[in-house]
């Protein structure tokens, strides 16, 4: 008996990093997962790594495209025979000193991180069952800790956290759980991008986000996402799970 046998999961950001690790973790525990991402190539690589006993079906969609989110949610429900769990992992990061912060940066970060998450919540709620449905939204350490050059990213993740807490309150009537999960620094393509640190800035500022436990592997976040999504967490809702290696200590 696997923990996710018979559980149908809609997962965004499944093509890379934490999302890929989550797809592999959940399918290893028996889940049927519909993985969404903008990267067709990345989704194919995730699918190739799945060994079961669960299964992964994939669909390309941009989380900022409302019509695409509606269609992807319907496709997921049709492919899996329903949706029990929604996990929003898709996200983007861009570090920018305040002097060069642009409206385009702000709009891009909010559009993917907040609007994409909100749209998938709204659409998945057409399918999530009262009494047992679960939403897990990936926020960030940056939602509750100030970090240099991350004003826009932090604000977008703070918005994901606040959105999730209010959604949890609204969904108590349906007994649907909402759990924001906030990773610290995780070793993924997102943190390896050359523009994750702007050119010519004071790197010593980054000592602030160095966690006592160092960087996490994506699997160390996926295991907590899996817990939050599972029946093991049936009394957990509206509470942020910080998985940051002691960065807040
Ligand atoms: N890596 C970290 O240190 C860290 C820390 C805290 C929070 N997070 C959050 O975790 C989540 C996953 O990040 P990751 O580190 O695995 O990064 P990643 O870059 O490896 O994965 C992000 C995925 O989101 C997808 N994506 C981006 N924009 C999209 C869009 N418009 N529509 C659909 N898919 C889109 C990308 O294609 C990619 O597959 C993000 O929300 C990120 O903000 C990451």
């Amino acid at each position: 008996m696997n923990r996710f046998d018979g559980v149908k999961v809609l997962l965004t950001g499944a093509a890379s990093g934490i999302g890929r690790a989550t797809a592999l973790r959940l399918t290893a525990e028996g889940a049927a997962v519909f993985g969404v991402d903008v990267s067709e190539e990345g989704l194919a690589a995730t699918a190739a790594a799945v060994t079961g006993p669960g299964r992964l079906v994939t669909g390309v969609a941009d989380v900022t495209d409302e019509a695409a989110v509606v269609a992807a949610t319907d496709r997921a429900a049709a492919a899996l025979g329903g949706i029990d769990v929604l996990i929003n992992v898709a996200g983007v990061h861009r570090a920018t000193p305040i002097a060069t912060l642009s409206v385009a940066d702000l709009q891009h970060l909010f559009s993917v991180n907040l609007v994409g998450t909100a749209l998938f919540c709204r659409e998945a709620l057409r399918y999530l069952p009262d009494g047992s449905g679960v939403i897990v939204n990936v926020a960030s350490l940056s939602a509750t800790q100030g970090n240099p050059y991350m004003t826009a990213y932090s604000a977008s993740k703070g918005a994901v956290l606040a959105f999730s807490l209010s959604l949890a309150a609204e969904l108590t009537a349906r007994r649907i759980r909402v759990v924001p999960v906030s990773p610290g620094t995780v070793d993924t393509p997102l943190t390896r991008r050359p523009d994750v640190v702007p050119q010519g800035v004071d790197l010593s500022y980054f000592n602030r986000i160095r966690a006592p436990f160092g960087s996490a592997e994506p699997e160390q976040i996926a295991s907590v996402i899996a817990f939050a999504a599972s029946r093991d967490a049936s009394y957990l809702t509206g509470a942020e799970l910080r998985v940051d290696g002691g960065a807040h200590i």
Side-chain angles (χ1 to χ4, degrees):
M1 176 73 184
N2 298 296
R3 187 164 60 159
F4 282 90
D5 279 346
V7 179
K8 301 149 200 151
V9 180
L10 172 54
L11 167 71
T12 74
S16 178
I18 297 167
R20 174 176 293 163
T22 302
L24 298 181
R25 173 73 192 229
L26 295 179
T27 52
E29 292 201 48
V33 177
F34 190 92
V36 171
D37 205 285
V38 272
S39 169
E40 190 169 8
E41 203 183 321
L43 285 173
T46 303
V50 170
T51 54
R55 66 193 175 100
L56 175 70
V57 184
T58 60
V60 176
D62 182 333
V63 302
T64 68
D65 177 340
E66 186 169 10
V69 172
V70 174
T73 306
D74 288 338
R75 258 189 298 145
L80 306 179
I83 302 170
D84 301 308
V85 175
L86 166 68
I87 304 176
N88 280 302
V89 183
V92 285
H93 181 279
R94 189 169 297 160
T96 330
I98 188 65
T100 53
L101 181 63
S102 68
V103 171
D105 285 334
L106 280 162
Q107 284 175 338
H108 180 59
L109 287 162
F110 271 82
S111 165
V112 179
N113 296 345
L114 174 66
V115 178
T117 295
L119 287 176
F120 264 106
C121 288
R122 186 190 74 194
E123 292 310 310
L125 279 164
R126 293 187 286 119
Y127 294 101
L128 291 178
D130 293 0
S132 63
V134 187
I135 295 173
V136 179
N137 290 334
V138 172
S140 171
L141 161 73
S142 304
T144 51
Q145 186 190 63
N147 288 307
Y149 318 123
M150 292 195 202
T151 50
Y153 177 75
S154 300
S156 74
K157 289 299 185 170
V160 170
L161 176 58
F163 173 89
S164 302
L165 298 180
S166 286
L167 186 63
E170 188 167 332
L171 294 180
T172 53
R174 289 180 58 183
R175 292 296 261 214
I176 290 175
R177 299 190 297 110
V178 183
V179 184
V181 171
S182 290
T185 304
V186 189
D187 184 19
T188 70
L190 182 137
T191 47
R192 284 183 231 127
R193 285 168 55 109
D195 63 354
V196 84
V197 178
Q199 293 292 305
V201 298
D202 183 349
L203 290 177
S204 68
Y205 282 9
F206 283 90
N207 288 332
R208 184 174 165 74
I209 49 175
R210 218 159 267 156
F213 282 11
S215 297
E217 294 301 324
E219 292 74 18
Q220 292 177 291
I221 310 302
S223 59
V224 176
I225 292 173
F227 162 71
S230 77
R231 284 181 289 272
D232 289 337
S234 59
Y235 197 60
L236 176 67
T237 191
E240 181 195 22
L241 296 184
R242 288 182 186 165
V243 199
D244 63 11
H248 270 82
I249 294 171

